[in-house]
Amino acid sequence: MQIQPILAALKKHRLATVLIALEIALACAVLCNACALIAGRLALMHIESGVAQASLGTIQLNGYEQAQAVDLNARVLAGLRAIPGVQSASVLNSIPFGARRGTAGFSKDAAGKESGGVVEFYLGGPGSFAALGVQVAAGRGPQADDFKPFEGLMPSQSSVQMTRALADHLWPGDNPLGKQIWAFNTHYRVVGIIDHLVRPDPTGWSEGERDWSIFVPAEPGKFLAGSYLLRADPADLARVMRDAKASIAKIAPDVVIDHDQSRTLDDLRERTFKSDRAMTGLLVGVIVALLGVTAFGIVGLASFWVAQRRKQIGIRRALGATRADILRYFQTENFLIVTLGIALGLALAIAINLALMKWFEVARLPLWYLPVGAVALWLLGQLAVLAPALRAANVPPVVATRSV
Amino acid sequence: MFGYYLDLALRSLKRSPILTALMVLAIAVGIGASMTTLTVMHILSGDPLPGRSAHIFYPQVDASPGDWHNKNPLDMMDYRSAVDLWDAQRADRQALIVDSAIKVRAADANLPPLMLTMLSTTADFFPMFDVPFEYGGGWTAQDDARRARVAIISGDLNDKLFGGKDSVGKTLRLKDSDVRIVGVLAPWRPRPQFYTVVGGNYANGDTAGFYGKTEDVFVPFQTGLEINDGNFWQFTCWGLPSTPGHLQDSPCAWVGLWVQLDSATKVADYRAFIANYAQQQKTLGRITKTNTRMLDLMQWLDYNGVLPRDVKLQTWLAFAFLAICLCNTVGLLLAKFLRRAGEIGVRRALGASRRAVFAQCLTEAGLVGFIGGVGGWLLTMLGLWLVRRQQTPYSDLVNLDVAMFFVTFALAIAVSLLAGALPAFRASRIAPALQLKTL
């Protein structure tokens, strides 16, 4: 295939060529970045919660006095445990994908000079750690005598479990077991490392920080009440939740059940990622529309060129060019234009990604997206040009002898 | 002449229906996507207090400890600083604000207790923010001073508890205290709910929550602090509060202050006033920094980045898409006009000027834009319907107003004229002689 005559012909249609190339360039840039955004949202939506999500539900109560808290805990826990099918009922201040009550900063030294970051402190009563179903990777889980009563927001001394992601961030390469952390007048020692325990609000944090949680065992009391974790067989859970709300209404008629937050963890998770799911759908829609518009643009312009060159095609056929030659001519022409567009588009994709990284805190575009995007557009171009090119190949040689 | 061009344009469009449909579709889809996102953007980025926002300010005094290296003052103030500034009454109007959750019951309504958000504020809040009343009115400065047991409720709550009837004078039970209702708000939906906007810089772009509904119960500041004691949440603390939920003497930032200053001199005076205050408090040893700031309402919203990141991203995406559609339309129009080179040649030979050919081609492009605009408007309605179905905190606000309706068509026609200009110019440069020869 000779490229020279194609280039010569394109030179005569400089404007149209540049337009299609520009369209391809924009499409390529948006395609690569939209795919990267989709990948980011998918990663967020499929985050590992680290807990036995399908078996868990939560009951959130408020509208009671602090003085009643101890009594309320006792009555509610007894009531919940009496429901058939409940495997465990316990107190936990924050709930993965749900209520958030333990977000706080801490430091790696007693003087408070070296900040450790802002993490979620899950304050849990006896049974809550086991009920969550988090996996202990190193060290130990909480023991019975770790759950001590406390005054104020948090226990001042405790032996805690920390996620692997947080430990790796705080002490990279070091054994985190036995390390200590400080916050205000509290002082904790790390005795266990857990695989994962997602924050209640993972969407509000950057990718590396979504799993920064610490489990602090504590005895439920004045400041640890009203937030309960239920565990049941997944098949039973929906009924257990209904029964639980009904029984609370009897046990503690005066408190207010927060129906919006009292749900199964599956429901809470579903709700947490609702907007991300919508955004993913939108991005997919844009990609489809964009590829469609680009393809139709190519079809339209190629059809026009074929119609314009009917006579020349006829002459070429009359001079001995085969149908395959004509077909390949238009395919090569399209390939050249799309290549020009892709060259521009790859640069533009990187530029857009840099801008997104700056203003939208989006992750860096993985470089392998670029060749994949390029191949996708080459294929799209070839598909779009096929019909007009076949029409061109079917122009009979006799056209050469007719006037238009 | 325009009528004739329009007639020619219609004929030409009918002659190649597929090409026309492609162009119209490209414009419609591009316009539909951009107008959907632009409408959401327009709704979310407006001025919540048109005409007044330039006089509304958010003063800040930084009480954080010296080893906190925050560049700007904390988003809220500690109790002492906020109340001192308010007590000085140096502004034309001033209102303290703090939100808390409270248990609400009404003796007259046979309903289970509700947990609602209550705003503790001061009398100036209502005139300063132009809050509309359905029944009754605000409380007085004396009520603030006396810690009167009075409340104002939202229209929503009035509907729920009292079936929408005038409930002024009735009693509401807030936690364990009875308060008398003195006012019922008419529907009021500032967007965003600007006066409680804080912490936007820590939201990682997820700021849709700023567009939620307003509080359901409003009570005088000290009244609220008394009756809901133990249930207040801090914005941040630099030490543990001795009693969680009771923050009056705590090392915590949790109170906001809004002031109205009607002239530039007063603004300058107030800035000097808070700077002096911080200086004086530092001398007294109560705070360690003299870091103060006072942004006006719109600057404050801007500082907090209230526009949700996803909305901005979607808008950029939609306009990139529109740019692609534009390139596409330029290419197709070029094809369309140049295909008629023969016809244009004849017209030129018969005496049509270049301008006339240009005008005729542009008319055709404009017509494509108008039809595309109708399609774009329909797609915008569809897009907005989809946005409403997403149940974001602001989904009830999403509607195409008259201004955006006209913007839709203006944008569609502008885009198509822009797309048509280059091809029309090309068409008008066609040499008549060459075309006539090939006929």
Side-chain angles (χ1 to χ4, degrees):
Chain A
M1 189 80 227
Q2 279 192 316
I3 292 184
Q4 213 65 45
I6 301 179
L7 287 180
L10 285 181
K11 245 186 190 164
K12 286 196 76 178
H13 297 282
R14 234 171 297 154
L15 185 59
T17 308
V18 167
L19 279 171
I20 288 289
L22 263 183
E23 191 179 339
I24 301 272
L26 273 169
C28 178
V30 174
L31 179 70
C32 289
N33 280 289
C35 283
L37 288 175
I38 291 176
R41 298 289 166 127
L42 286 180
L44 174 62
M45 277 151 57
H46 291 118
I47 189 171
E48 179 64 59
S49 68
V51 302
Q53 204 181 296
S55 314
L56 295 172
T58 176
I59 295 287
Q60 299 287 317
L61 305 179
N62 37 37
Y64 58 87
E65 295 301 312
Q66 268 163 12
Q68 309 165 346
V70 175
D71 173 53
L72 180 75
N73 276 340
R75 277 189 295 153
V76 169
L77 285 178
L80 292 178
R81 283 170 187 151
I83 296 170
V86 170
Q87 294 165 351
S88 124
S90 52
V91 188
L92 184 67
N93 71 332
S94 294
I95 304 293
F97 308 114
R100 180 175 67 89
R101 300 197 182 85
T103 312
F106 68 94
S107 56
K108 289 160 75 178
D109 59 333
K113 295 276 176 248
E114 216 183 328
S115 167
V118 177
V119 302
E120 187 68 21
F121 287 96
Y122 279 96
L123 258 61
S128 57
F129 189 84
L132 280 172
V134 288
Q135 299 297 317
V136 179
R140 62 169 178 86
Q143 292 164 348
D145 58 353
D146 285 338
F147 297 92
K148 296 195 190 84
F150 67 101
E151 278 291 315
L153 280 178
M154 290 188 359
S156 52
Q157 304 270 333
S158 198
S159 303
V160 302
Q161 284 73 31
M162 172 182 281
T163 54
R164 166 73 64 200
L166 179 59
D168 285 348
H169 164 75
L170 291 175
W171 305 286
D174 242 5
N175 179 9
L177 292 177
K179 297 265 197 246
Q180 302 172 74
I181 57 168
W182 287 263
F184 301 134
N185 55 1
T186 65
H187 171 210
Y188 298 151
R189 182 182 300 277
V190 180
V191 297
I193 296 300
I194 49 184
D195 281 338
H196 295 285
L197 177 55
V198 73
R199 287 179 189 262
D201 54 343
T203 53
W205 299 86
S206 68
E207 201 170 343
E209 303 174 335
R210 290 173 192 149
D211 204 22
W212 286 8
S213 305
I214 295 177
F215 181 87
V216 183
E219 177 69 36
K222 214 158 94 179
F223 300 107
L224 179 55
S227 178
Y228 305 96
L229 186 69
L230 275 176
R231 183 163 177 156
D233 188 80
D236 262 357
L237 193 59
R239 178 193 52 82
V240 165
M241 289 297 291
R242 272 197 309 277
D243 289 357
K245 287 181 194 173
S247 96
I248 301 277
K250 279 189 220 120
I251 303 166
D254 225 31
V255 304
V256 184
I257 302 178
D258 185 347
H259 287 280
D260 188 50
Q261 287 288 345
S262 301
R263 292 161 185 257
T264 64
L265 262 65
D266 276 342
D267 283 356
L268 290 172
R269 178 178 185 133
E270 150 99 21
R271 188 171 63 177
T272 301
F273 298 122
K274 203 170 202 166
S275 67
D276 297 286
R277 213 169 303 117
M279 187 75 182
T280 310
L282 189 106
L283 286 166
V284 171
V286 165
I287 290 177
V288 170
L290 175 137
L291 294 181
V293 165
T294 310
F296 282 127
I298 294 173
V299 171
L301 211 63
S303 300
F304 166 66
W305 279 343
V306 170
Q308 207 184 27
R309 297 178 197 162
R310 261 179 85 81
K311 204 166 168 183
Q312 286 94 320
I313 296 167
I315 294 171
R316 280 197 67 197
R317 289 297 313 276
L319 291 177
T322 62
R323 286 173 184 221
D325 286 336
I326 305 293
L327 185 69
R328 226 167 297 138
Y329 174 90
F330 281 98
Q331 285 174 333
T332 312
E333 184 184 67
N334 178 270
F335 181 81
L336 290 177
I337 298 176
V338 173
T339 305
L340 175 65
I342 287 173
L344 279 174
L346 295 185
L348 193 60
I350 292 172
I352 289 180
N353 179 239
L354 290 178
L356 286 178
M357 274 166 62
K358 181 151 183 243
W359 285 299
F360 293 97
E361 287 152 48
V362 167
R364 183 180 292 280
L365 186 70
L367 281 180
W368 62 270
Y369 275 53
L370 300 177
V372 172
V375 169
L377 283 167
W378 268 314
L379 282 178
L380 182 82
Q382 290 301 314
L383 270 178
V385 86
L386 193 61
L390 280 174
R391 219 174 312 131
N394 280 331
V395 171
V398 71
V399 167
T401 63
R402 288 188 204 140
S403 108
V404 185
Chain B
M1 222 38 197
F2 182 68
Y4 172 60
Y5 288 158
L6 214 56
D7 184 46
L8 277 184
L10 267 176
R11 279 164 195 271
S12 149
L13 292 182
K14 268 191 229 152
R15 211 177 310 147
S16 45
I18 295 187
L19 202 59
T20 308
L22 281 181
M23 287 191 292
V24 167
L25 196 70
I27 291 196
V29 174
I31 292 292
S34 348
M35 285 312 295
T36 303
T37 55
L38 208 59
T39 303
V40 172
M41 188 93 145
H42 166 74
I43 285 164
L44 299 188
S45 62
D47 183 340
L49 281 182
R52 302 173 66 93
S53 56
H55 302 298
I56 306 290
F57 293 85
Y58 191 71
Q60 292 164 276
V61 172
D62 195 356
S64 62
D67 56 352
W68 280 31
H69 302 291
N70 43 324
K71 201 169 113 257
N72 294 308
L74 300 177
D75 283 12
M76 298 187 94
M77 284 189 277
D78 60 298
Y79 178 81
R80 192 71 269 146
S81 307
V83 170
D84 280 352
L85 295 187
W86 182 83
D87 271 341
Q89 297 281 322
R90 292 288 193 92
D92 292 306
R93 281 177 176 140
Q94 46 244 309
L96 291 165
I97 54 157
V98 62
D99 259 346
S100 59
I102 192 161
K103 181 152 82 171
V104 177
R105 279 165 291 193
D108 305 358
N110 194 15
L111 280 175
L114 303 164
M115 282 307 288
L116 299 174
T117 314
M118 170 178 84
L119 184 74
S120 307
T121 184
T122 52
D124 283 351
F125 177 87
F126 301 95
M128 179 158 75
F129 295 147
D130 231 353
V131 184
F133 281 91
E134 185 78 47
Y135 306 112
W139 59 78
T140 62
Q142 288 78 37
D143 289 331
D144 278 330
R146 281 198 326 240
R147 308 183 173 200
R149 294 295 193 252
V150 294
I152 287 167
I153 61 173
S154 69
D156 273 356
L157 183 61
N158 193 47
D159 290 346
K160 210 180 284 174
L161 296 181
F162 304 106
K165 295 196 195 74
D166 185 355
S167 57
V168 171
K170 297 211 167 152
T171 303
L172 203 60
R173 190 155 182 80
L174 298 179
K175 210 172 147 194
D176 303 315
S177 314
D178 282 336
V179 295
R180 185 170 47 86
I181 297 173
V182 295
V184 176
L185 299 189
W188 184 47
R189 188 84 161 80
R191 49 183 200 233
Q193 193 197 313
F194 59 92
Y195 54 88
T196 51
V197 164
V198 288
N201 290 308
Y202 309 98
N204 205 16
D206 192 4
T207 52
F210 289 149
Y211 293 87
K213 297 205 162 79
T214 60
E215 292 83 357
D216 279 309
V217 183
F218 301 79
V219 295
F221 187 72
Q222 295 294 352
T223 311
L225 261 45
E226 271 179 23
I227 62 185
N228 206 20
D229 191 31
N231 290 297
F232 287 88
W233 279 89
Q234 60 277 11
F235 173 72
T236 188
C237 289
W238 46 95
L240 275 187
S242 49
T243 320
H246 174 91
L247 304 175
Q248 272 86 327
D249 305 313
S250 69
C252 295
W254 59 293
V255 183
L257 174 68
W258 286 97
V259 299
Q260 178 180 336
L261 299 163
D262 289 333
S263 70
T265 339
K266 284 178 179 166
V267 174
D269 288 350
Y270 207 87
R271 278 189 215 284
F273 164 63
I274 54 173
N276 283 339
Y277 173 78
Q279 188 61 55
Q280 173 216 341
Q281 294 294 310
K282 192 185 174 189
T283 317
L284 290 174
R286 189 178 73 81
I287 61 176
T288 53
K289 296 175 178 170
T290 52
N291 197 5
T292 64
R293 184 170 71 162
M294 189 169 76
L295 299 180
D296 70 25
L297 173 52
M298 292 315 279
Q299 287 170 332
W300 178 244
L301 295 184
D302 193 40
Y303 171 73
N304 277 284
V306 290
L307 256 192
R309 193 182 50 190
D310 276 4
V311 172
K312 282 191 273 189
L313 201 56
Q314 284 162 4
T315 308
W316 279 109
L317 198 66
F319 276 87
F321 183 56
L322 185 63
I324 291 171
C325 292
L326 184 72
C327 278
N328 191 43
T329 311
V330 178
L332 293 181
L333 279 175
L334 194 66
K336 201 157 171 11
F337 293 161
L338 294 188
R339 186 187 271 183
R340 295 214 316 273
E343 178 196 322
I344 292 169
V346 173
R347 288 196 62 217
R348 291 274 286 120
L350 290 179
S353 66
R354 283 186 173 158
R355 279 179 68 129
V357 171
F358 185 74
Q360 186 212 328
C361 289
L362 264 194
T363 310
E364 193 172 328
L367 187 64
V368 169
F370 181 77
I371 305 173
V374 174
W377 169 62
L378 291 174
L379 287 177
T380 305
M381 301 303 276
L382 177 73
L384 293 179
W385 179 75
L386 286 174
V387 173
R388 269 195 297 276
R389 267 176 39 118
Q390 279 177 26
Q391 296 174 342
T392 47
Y394 51 82
S395 49
D396 61 313
L397 294 169
V398 174
N399 263 312
L400 193 70
D401 58 14
V402 181
M404 293 313 271
F405 175 79
F406 285 111
V407 170
T408 307
F409 285 91
L411 187 66
I413 293 174
V415 163
S416 60
L417 288 184
L418 194 67
L422 197 60
F425 178 73
R426 269 310 190 69
S428 70
R429 308 301 291 185
I430 285 171
L434 205 64
Q435 295 302 326
L436 291 175
K437 243 167 74 182
T438 58
L439 272 179

